[in-house]
Amino acid sequence: MLSSFSSISTAVSFPDAEEDCVLLWKSLDALRLQNNLAKERGDPEYTFYDGPPFATGLPHYGHILAGTIKDTVTRYAAQTGHYVSRRAGWDCHGLPVEYEIDQQLNITRREQVLEMGIDTYNKHCRSIVTRYTGEWETTVNRLGRWIDFRDDYKTMDPTFMESVWWVFKTLFDKGLVYQGYKVMPFSTACGTPLSNFEAGLNYKEDTVDPAVVVSFPLVDDSDVSLIAWTTTPWTLPSNLALCVHPDLQYVKVKDLKTGKVMVMAEERLKQVWPQMGGKKWKKENEKELFERLDKYKGSDLVGWKYKPLFPYFSSFPGNTFWRVLSDTYVTSDSGTGIVHQAPAFGEDDYRVCLAAGVIEKGGDIPCPVDANGIFTEDCADFKGRYVKEADDDICALLKSAGRLVQKDQIKHSYPFCWRSDTPLIYKAVPSWFVKVEEIKDRLLANNEKTYWVPSHVKEVRFRNWLRDARDWAVSRNRFWGTPIPVWASESFDEVVCVGSVEELRELSGVSVSDLHRETVDKIEIPSKKNPGTTLKRIDEVFDCWFESGSMPYAQKHYPFENAEEFEGQFPADFIAEGLDQTRGWFYTLMVLSTALFDKPAFKNLIVNGLVLAGDGKKMSKRLKNYPDPTLVINKYGADALRMYLINSPVVRAEPLKFQEEGVLGVVKDVFLPWFNAFRFLMQNVERWEGEAGGRFAPDKGKVASSTNSIDVWLTARTQGLIKFVHQEMSAYRLYTVMPELVAFVTELTNWYVRLNRDRLKGTDEDAETGLQVLYDTLLDVTVLMSPFTPFISEYFYQHLRKLQPSYADREEGGRVNPPLPGKSDSVHLLRVPAYDPSLLNDTAVQGFKVLQKIIKLGRDAREKRLISVKMPIACMVVVLPLTAAEILEDVRTKLADYVKSELNSWDVRFVTREEEHEWVKISLLPDLKVLGKKLGKKMSGVKKALVAMTHEEAKKAIADGSAEVGGVTIDFKSEVLSKYTYAKEGDERWEGAVHSDGDVVVAIDTKEDPALVAAGKCREVITNIQKLRKSAGLEMADKVEAFYKEVGAAMGGTLAACIKSNADTFVKKFDGMVPLPEELASSSKIYASATVDIGASKVVISIRPPSVSVASGVGEGPRMFLATVDVKDLERGMALKCNIDGADMELSEGKEWFLNATDRAVAEKVI
């Protein structure tokens, strides 16, 4: 049975074809089928971790990008002989969920949650965590990403949470956990601290805050005050110390206007007297403003005591507050050079005060602000006020006390909560810490064991982050999360860390099936130290980053289940996420795996950059500055979006400004040409089978044995591509793979198919060989591209497979091993092809590159003289001065005909080395960077001498390596810049073009003669006939006859004379058909016609269905009879019998009638 591909539409809808693929994969249960076949074969496992996203929102371009990278790499792994488990995961706990519930329920204070009950609150949280999982699954499947949603994991699963407990318990037992205070970014709207990573997500420029200068009178001399500057007046009630830089110069000055005496940094006098920073300021003017009384080094001020601003903490037990400290973090860039210290609200403040003994590690810190940013009763004057709203009142109170020196405003960059969009504060919170600093050396060592793409993110950004890492606060004072499994006595003199559900049962006697707060908070553990008392669980839950960092273990419920399986697969072979995760998931993975196993959690990592809006700004739903991903997919297809993303700088961790036009460009420049090459093949296979009368059977032997130069090139190029893809994918360099794949598809369609179009339309053995090569290449590329463009590859494969002998076995063998092209039901069940070293041919590949350069330069030369490619030229000259001899010979002997055909040249001449000086000249210039210092004043003379060298002199000097020029010996390899130029510039007859590499020079003969003009006209006729066929919607196999009617004539005679002299050209092009004058047309039916310009004439060209052509002189009766005969029923040599007006007649083919008008024109010597 012959093949049938007539159903392949000329106007393919890629989105529609993709929808069909989604249905196919669903019917196959394709991911599970792929993995089951891999398990059955015993393929080694390739381990992949998917960072869990929150399902409280819909996927955006960032998710699509990361998902595409993950899918491409894991598909490639699966199609190169690996079993790849791809479990979906969901981040269920933490602020994103709680914030939405707080908005829904109008919760603004922690007490409201406690009043409603943690169980009720958590029930609300649980209800929304999977709200969008259905939409996620639909979108992800539509993108072509294969990931298992049925066997997913959730961070709220009891098994996951139990493994998180085990992770913490292991760290606790290793002495890597402690409790302490930490000043952290704090969201008063959410009532919880944030990580530094989260704090950096939402900085706002031009935030306006107060900027005040406050005085601190000395205890020993109340007439003298230290002055400090701050942008957070609300922290002043908690002031415990002042800090100076030990090495800065400080001065004591008297304000001549107010009489006040102040101490401040000398460099910062302009803070109080801004005019000192003006351009017109002169030092002698200062005597009008202040009087200098004394000067000090910063270290001299250390220990000075001052009077507190407020009395709130005067009775704090054992305090040594309100004295001057020193630290080098103080700068002279702004303020007064004296920094007020509120250790409860500043990270540096806490560190400096702790080091100076103002506060003690583990001890209480004066902190009169609650979790909602409200002043407590410890700050009586402002109790119940939100801190930011109290700024003005605090300043007013200080002013009334005579302590406010200056009040102003400042615009600066300030962090806001990424969820509530409210200003963050910095606040000391009691936290549980992992001792990251203690294992820093191991973190750095394990980082060296990993492979990152791009490498600089690992070697600079991530390494620096690890090097400067501080202890990690892993606790949060929230409700919806994994409870920290620590039970303690009220005095904390007895602490128990629980590592499993079973251990909790053993210690408490209570069995649980859920580990959230509403369950475990009620459980008490009898004290072993103080019988009769109990230990209660602490209040905190884990930061959700601790959970995501525990994902490798918790998704498998390690070590309670799957221990052997996990240990054999750890670390993961591959992970991928965005650049922002260097301080997020990548970091938490590394910290926990190092602390637990002294290993990295992963071996290979791809870091992607950020996808921005087209204007370079962050994508914003509010601003609507980017196209909806769903609409883009529905318009262009998921494959186009996938290829656009991974063929961009974003896979090198650089930002991408998303442009919808870029997605359209993939469709136009890659997919449509690829599709056209595929359709061309399938149509010609069907045509070949019909005309040759046999079945087309793919035969790799015929492909490998072809001696056709373009076949050899394409086969070698394909094998080189396969080799390159394997090489680059093993190094995870998607950014090098995609450009090469795109370039190959362009060469396949724009070069191989175009150069072979006429050959592939034949019926002989050479035509079949060409079809074999094209088929083999398209199948290889289809399978090779399938990890990158899964949909279009599947579409092509479903057609290409029908030609394979094993296609007959598809009913029973489509879903079983071994996978084979043809029988296997999906391209994604096949192995990505391995390259065949015996088919690599660098000479052929390099020769074809030379051919491409020659053709481009030939077109450039034509454009210079405005000569259309349709107009033949008599001759062209090619100079290849730098090309290796074997490549030159390959081009000259095997590719010259292609040069002539593409450039419409009757002859091509390759110039020998001995003749090249007639056509090219070596231009020489000194390399100024190298020779400038060496020659000095001699440079001018040497440059003139170099420019004046003849071609032969320059050629010899380059060959020798050095020569004396202008009296100086010059190294021609390192000190001279050389390039070949066209030597006949300005010649009237010859026009030339030089490649930018200087290795190819082409010249064309522009002289015109009648024969060339005639041939050019005929080429235009051919082009217009092809256009008419296309406009009429004709298929390749549809036969037509062409006719013309000319008005006027041009140089070279009439069009009839032109066609007659070039009849052979038409015979070859149109399978024996030659365009004829309209009066020779028999059929009145016209498929299509058009009036076109041929030379200087208007010509009407029409195409018509073939019909019987009646010889001149045949009578009206026989002519009327022949008009009723269908030419499809006739054969060459046939005689037709008929009765005309009672007389029997016999009308013979070739005498009274002909099978077509061309046969008649030849017989009657019209052509």
Side-chain angles (χ1 to χ4, degrees):
M1 181 179 177
L2 299 183
S3 308
S4 177
F5 301 105
S6 303
S7 60
I8 301 175
S9 170
T10 55
V12 65
S13 167
F14 292 117
D16 289 349
E18 290 181 353
E19 294 282 6
D20 292 339
C21 291
V22 172
L23 295 175
L24 170 67
W25 296 338
K26 186 175 182 180
S27 70
L28 292 174
D29 198 0
L31 173 58
R32 273 188 163 74
L33 175 59
Q34 185 189 65
N35 278 342
N36 289 339
L37 294 176
K39 275 187 176 180
E40 184 183 290
R41 293 191 299 266
D43 291 349
E45 181 152 7
Y46 180 90
T47 314
F48 160 69
Y49 295 155
D50 192 21
F54 285 100
T56 50
L58 295 172
H60 52 65
Y61 282 108
H63 295 119
I64 292 170
L65 168 63
T68 298
I69 293 171
K70 295 171 188 177
D71 187 59
T72 300
V73 172
T74 52
R75 280 183 182 276
Y76 176 81
Q79 289 183 251
T80 50
H82 297 87
Y83 169 78
V84 188
S85 175
R86 284 154 274 182
R87 290 186 73 190
W90 305 105
D91 213 339
C92 302
H93 290 144
L95 266 180
V97 180
E98 290 199 27
Y99 178 72
E100 287 213 27
I101 295 304
D102 289 350
Q103 295 292 101
Q104 282 183 21
L105 303 180
N106 197 28
I107 292 173
T108 58
R109 293 178 293 105
R110 178 181 177 83
E111 288 74 17
Q112 290 175 273
V113 177
L114 298 175
E115 289 168 7
M116 76 160 54
I118 294 174
D119 55 343
T120 302
Y121 183 80
N122 279 359
K123 183 178 179 180
H124 283 290
C125 290
R126 191 187 298 271
S127 71
I128 70 163
V129 291
T130 58
R131 179 172 56 195
Y132 292 119
T133 53
E135 287 85 348
W136 269 80
E137 184 169 356
T138 299
T139 301
V140 169
N141 286 340
R142 182 60 189 86
L143 281 163
R145 186 180 177 196
W146 283 8
I147 189 164
D148 194 342
F149 286 103
R150 279 181 279 171
D151 187 29
D152 62 357
Y153 69 87
K154 300 179 182 68
T155 60
M156 68 179 183
D157 292 338
T159 53
F160 192 100
M161 296 169 71
E162 184 178 24
S163 289
V164 174
W165 275 18
W166 169 82
V167 171
F168 186 77
K169 166 72 182 247
T170 304
L171 303 188
F172 187 93
D173 290 346
K174 288 186 174 188
L176 293 175
V177 172
Y178 69 93
Q179 188 184 29
Y181 279 97
K182 184 172 184 179
V183 177
M184 301 179 67
F186 197 95
S187 170
T188 56
C190 297
T192 189
L194 305 182
S195 68
N196 286 325
F197 165 71
E198 291 171 305
L201 293 176
N202 190 21
Y203 264 84
K204 294 195 176 184
E205 303 297 326
D206 297 330
T207 301
V208 178
D209 273 318
V212 300
V213 177
V214 181
S215 66
F216 297 83
L218 298 177
V219 170
D220 293 338
D221 186 353
S222 59
D223 291 332
V224 179
S225 295
L226 301 158
I227 62 170
W229 175 81
T230 183
T231 59
T232 54
W234 63 269
T235 64
L236 290 170
S238 305
N239 170 264
L240 301 185
L242 296 173
C243 189
V244 298
H245 193 292
D247 300 322
L248 280 180
Q249 191 73 33
Y250 290 80
V251 292
K252 180 163 68 173
V253 297
K254 182 178 181 180
D255 186 336
L256 297 179
K257 184 177 181 181
T258 65
K260 292 181 179 180
V261 179
M262 299 171 286
V263 177
M264 61 194 303
E266 185 175 30
E267 291 182 50
R268 295 306 306 164
L269 287 166
K270 59 187 175 186
Q271 176 66 45
V272 178
W273 293 283
Q275 56 267 52
M276 293 180 68
K279 292 181 179 180
K280 297 181 179 180
W281 172 257
K282 296 180 180 178
K283 184 170 175 55
E284 55 264 28
N285 294 342
E286 71 174 42
K287 61 185 178 182
E288 300 173 8
L289 303 177
F290 58 84
E291 178 186 354
R292 292 175 182 261
L293 302 177
D294 208 343
K295 64 180 179 179
Y296 316 89
K297 194 175 180 182
S299 55
D300 298 334
L301 306 181
V302 174
W304 286 14
K305 294 183 179 179
Y306 62 88
K307 296 178 181 179
L309 289 172
F310 296 94
Y312 305 133
F313 302 111
S314 298
S315 59
F316 200 85
N319 83 75
T320 56
F321 304 157
W322 305 304
R323 53 193 170 92
V324 178
L325 316 176
S326 72
D327 192 87
T328 55
Y329 93 90
V330 178
T331 72
S332 58
D333 295 338
S334 59
T336 65
I338 300 176
V339 181
H340 119 79
Q341 305 289 286
F345 303 111
E347 195 169 5
D348 282 314
D349 306 38
Y350 182 87
R351 175 182 58 79
V352 172
C353 288
L354 187 64
V358 175
I359 58 175
E360 295 181 0
K361 194 169 187 176
D364 287 338
I365 308 173
C367 181
V369 176
D370 69 12
N372 298 117
I374 305 298
F375 278 114
T376 67
E377 59 189 12
D378 289 335
C379 197
D381 293 302
F382 311 105
K383 178 185 175 183
R385 300 287 304 282
Y386 178 63
V387 290
K388 287 279 188 179
E389 294 173 357
D391 278 339
D392 286 341
D393 289 344
I394 290 171
C395 291
L397 193 58
L398 290 172
K399 184 177 181 180
S400 66
R403 304 287 289 270
L404 186 66
V405 177
Q406 188 181 67
K407 185 182 179 186
D408 206 340
Q409 286 187 330
I410 186 174
K411 282 186 178 182
H412 60 161
S413 178
Y414 194 83
F416 279 62
C417 177
W418 64 290
R419 279 292 169 182
S420 63
D421 204 35
T422 56
L424 298 179
I425 65 172
Y426 281 78
K427 185 175 184 294
V429 293
S431 297
W432 289 84
F433 292 84
V434 172
K435 295 179 181 178
V436 176
E437 295 171 48
E438 190 171 301
I439 61 171
K440 190 180 298 183
D441 290 345
R442 298 309 310 151
L443 289 172
L444 290 167
N446 283 329
N447 185 44
E448 293 304 309
K449 298 175 184 176
T450 61
Y451 175 81
W452 292 50
V453 174
S455 60
H456 69 81
V457 180
K458 165 194 166 181
E459 293 161 0
V460 181
R461 188 185 182 106
F462 193 62
R463 189 181 187 282
N464 290 346
W465 184 249
L466 294 178
R467 184 196 62 202
D468 299 332
R470 298 178 184 174
D471 289 350
W472 176 18
V474 298
S475 57
R476 295 290 181 266
N477 298 94
R478 299 299 299 176
F479 306 99
W480 177 242
T482 299
I484 293 181
V486 171
W487 274 257
S489 60
E490 192 172 339
S491 63
F492 260 81
D493 63 336
E494 186 177 1
V495 176
V496 172
C497 184
V498 177
S500 68
V501 171
E502 178 58 24
E503 184 180 0
L504 180 61
R505 187 193 64 77
E506 291 174 356
L507 291 171
S508 68
V510 180
S511 296
V512 295
S513 58
D514 179 69
L515 296 179
H516 287 92
R517 285 195 63 177
E518 61 269 28
T519 301
V520 299
D521 281 7
K522 297 179 288 189
I523 299 173
E524 298 181 357
I525 295 175
S527 171
K528 293 181 180 179
K529 189 174 181 180
N530 300 299
T533 64
T534 58
L535 310 182
K536 296 183 180 180
R537 200 193 71 80
I538 62 172
D539 191 58
E540 293 91 340
V541 298
F542 282 112
D543 173 14
C544 59
W545 288 106
F546 190 87
E547 293 180 317
S548 59
S550 301
M551 165 264 169
Y553 330 106
Q555 68 162 337
K556 289 187 173 292
H557 196 209
Y558 179 84
F560 309 104
E561 295 181 80
N562 309 306
E564 186 176 347
E565 178 186 341
F566 166 78
E567 289 161 8
Q569 299 165 0
F570 185 80
D573 290 296
F574 169 68
I575 65 170
E577 290 294 345
L579 186 62
D580 53 345
Q581 295 301 326
T582 51
R583 298 182 178 185
W585 191 49
F586 303 155
Y587 175 70
T588 62
L589 283 174
M590 183 67 78
V591 168
L592 293 184
S593 66
T594 298
L596 292 170
F597 301 110
D598 194 20
K599 292 180 181 179
F602 52 87
K603 299 173 187 174
N604 304 288
L605 165 61
I606 294 178
V607 188
N608 64 262
L610 301 179
V611 183
L612 305 174
D615 57 6
K617 296 179 181 178
K618 187 177 179 181
M619 287 186 170
S620 166
K621 289 182 181 178
R622 180 177 58 83
L623 297 175
K624 297 181 180 178
N625 60 351
Y626 65 94
D628 185 315
T630 302
L631 297 180
V632 170
I633 293 168
N634 291 341
K635 190 173 182 181
Y636 306 108
D639 271 350
L641 178 58
R642 286 171 65 114
M643 181 172 273
Y644 170 69
L645 291 173
I646 58 177
N647 191 32
S648 74
V650 80
V651 293
R652 299 194 299 271
E654 298 173 16
L656 168 67
K657 296 178 183 178
F658 186 89
Q659 302 286 348
E660 186 176 342
E661 295 83 2
V663 185
L664 172 61
V666 172
V667 176
K668 288 168 55 181
D669 300 336
V670 182
F671 290 173
L672 283 175
W674 188 8
F675 170 79
N676 289 334
F678 155 78
R679 185 170 179 272
F680 176 81
L681 167 74
M682 305 313 278
Q683 285 180 323
N684 277 285
V685 165
E686 185 174 357
R687 177 200 53 75
W688 182 89
E689 288 183 334
E691 295 180 6
R695 170 104 181 151
F696 179 87
D699 187 337
K700 283 188 172 290
K702 290 182 179 179
V703 174
S705 61
S706 175
T707 57
N708 177 284
S709 56
I710 302 296
D711 290 350
V712 172
W713 162 73
L714 182 62
T715 301
R717 182 77 174 84
T718 304
Q719 297 305 309
L721 174 70
I722 294 169
K723 179 182 180 182
F724 178 83
V725 169
H726 283 298
Q727 171 187 303
E728 296 302 290
M729 284 302 290
S730 67
Y732 294 89
R733 290 191 288 261
L734 271 66
Y735 59 87
T736 61
V737 170
M738 288 311 301
E740 190 66 14
L741 287 169
V742 171
F744 180 86
V745 170
T746 301
E747 289 187 354
L748 173 67
T749 56
N750 288 358
W751 290 95
Y752 183 82
V753 172
R754 193 179 77 242
L755 294 178
N756 277 283
R757 188 171 292 275
D758 290 343
R759 172 194 174 208
L760 296 171
K761 290 180 178 180
T763 57
D764 58 8
E765 185 178 341
D766 188 44
E768 188 210 355
T769 300
L771 292 172
Q772 290 282 358
V773 171
L774 182 55
Y775 175 88
D776 192 65
T777 297
L778 280 171
L779 182 61
D780 274 348
V781 173
T782 293
V783 183
L784 189 66
M785 288 281 280
S786 59
F788 303 90
T789 52
F791 291 106
I792 195 170
S793 297
E794 188 72 87
Y795 172 81
F796 290 152
Y797 171 73
Q798 292 301 329
H799 289 287
L800 293 169
R801 68 184 291 212
K802 296 175 183 177
L803 297 173
Q804 290 285 337
S806 71
Y807 182 64
D809 304 324
R810 65 191 182 280
E811 294 298 329
E812 295 182 359
R815 305 181 187 187
V816 300
N817 282 316
L820 287 174
K823 83 175 183 71
S824 293
D825 282 343
S826 171
V827 68
H828 302 290
L829 302 180
L830 304 178
R831 291 284 292 268
V832 171
Y835 78 95
D836 183 345
S838 69
L839 296 178
L840 295 175
N841 188 325
D842 190 58
T843 299
V845 172
Q846 295 305 319
F848 200 82
K849 287 182 179 179
V850 173
L851 170 71
Q852 291 171 311
K853 290 180 179 180
I854 292 171
I855 291 172
K856 180 185 182 304
L857 293 175
R859 290 172 181 160
D860 291 346
R862 278 177 168 275
E863 286 181 12
K864 288 180 181 180
R865 295 290 182 99
L866 302 179
I867 302 173
S868 167
V869 177
K870 296 173 185 175
M871 176 63 68
I873 55 176
C875 180
M876 62 181 293
V877 170
V878 177
V879 188
L880 303 172
L882 303 177
T883 304
E886 66 274 11
I887 296 174
L888 176 57
E889 182 65 12
D890 203 55
V891 174
R892 188 181 65 80
T893 59
K894 299 177 181 178
L895 301 177
D897 286 345
Y898 292 102
V899 174
K900 289 191 285 187
S901 173
E902 280 297 293
L903 293 174
N904 198 9
S905 177
W906 288 359
D907 188 26
V908 59
R909 184 159 66 89
F910 290 87
V911 173
T912 64
R913 296 281 193 263
E914 293 73 26
E915 300 174 294
E916 68 179 30
H917 66 278
E918 298 176 13
W919 299 94
V920 296
K921 180 181 184 301
I922 299 177
S923 296
L924 302 176
L925 284 173
D927 188 334
L928 297 177
K929 291 181 180 178
V930 180
L931 282 176
K933 294 180 180 179
K934 176 179 174 180
L935 298 181
K937 293 181 179 179
K938 294 181 180 180
M939 174 63 80
S940 178
V942 170
K943 182 177 180 181
K944 287 180 181 178
L946 280 172
V947 172
M949 289 179 74
T950 66
H951 176 79
E952 293 302 330
E953 288 171 343
K955 190 173 179 181
K956 183 177 185 306
I958 292 171
D960 293 342
S962 65
E964 188 173 301
V965 181
V968 180
T969 300
I970 301 296
D971 185 336
F972 273 69
K973 292 182 180 177
S974 62
E975 298 175 340
V976 175
L977 304 175
S978 64
K979 114 178 242 196
Y980 280 82
T981 58
Y982 179 54
K984 289 182 178 286
E985 206 66 60
D987 187 280
E988 186 176 330
R989 176 173 178 177
W990 293 93
E991 184 59 73
V994 184
H995 193 267
S996 57
D997 294 338
D999 58 344
V1000 182
V1001 180
V1002 169
I1004 63 169
D1005 184 352
T1006 65
K1007 186 178 180 182
E1008 204 175 75
D1009 68 33
L1012 291 172
V1013 173
K1017 289 183 176 182
C1018 290
R1019 187 149 176 159
E1020 290 190 52
V1021 171
I1022 290 171
T1023 299
N1024 282 288
I1025 290 172
Q1026 299 284 41
K1027 288 180 180 178
L1028 289 174
R1029 286 184 62 93
K1030 187 173 182 179
S1031 68
L1034 298 178
E1035 296 294 333
M1036 192 177 300
D1038 293 334
K1039 301 286 186 181
V1040 299
E1041 294 185 317
F1043 301 91
Y1044 64 88
K1045 181 179 181 181
E1046 182 183 18
V1047 180
M1051 178 182 174
T1054 64
L1055 185 58
C1058 295
I1059 290 174
K1060 187 171 184 178
S1061 64
N1062 290 276
D1064 287 348
T1065 301
F1066 291 100
V1067 169
K1068 290 177 184 176
K1069 189 70 180 177
F1070 295 123
D1071 196 21
M1073 186 275 290
V1074 178
L1076 298 170
E1078 191 176 75
E1079 51 267 26
L1080 294 181
S1082 300
S1083 173
S1084 59
K1085 181 178 179 181
I1086 297 176
Y1087 283 141
S1089 68
T1091 302
V1092 298
D1093 293 319
I1094 305 291
S1097 300
K1098 292 285 185 185
V1099 179
V1100 180
I1101 299 178
S1102 63
I1103 56 172
R1104 311 179 186 217
S1107 61
V1108 174
S1109 185
V1110 184
S1112 300
V1114 173
E1116 186 63 23
R1119 187 177 293 275
M1120 292 179 65
F1121 164 74
L1122 289 169
T1124 65
V1125 178
D1126 191 338
V1127 72
K1128 295 177 183 176
D1129 299 329
L1130 305 178
E1131 295 178 4
R1132 201 168 291 281
M1134 182 180 284
L1136 299 175
K1137 294 181 179 180
C1138 60
N1139 186 288
I1140 304 294
D1141 295 332
D1144 292 331
M1145 301 184 68
E1146 185 173 277
L1147 308 175
S1148 299
E1149 186 273 329
K1151 187 177 179 182
E1152 286 83 16
W1153 59 272
F1154 299 86
L1155 289 171
N1156 53 63
T1158 300
D1159 285 355
R1160 174 190 168 194
V1162 170
E1164 296 178 358
K1165 297 186 175 9
V1166 175
I1167 56 173

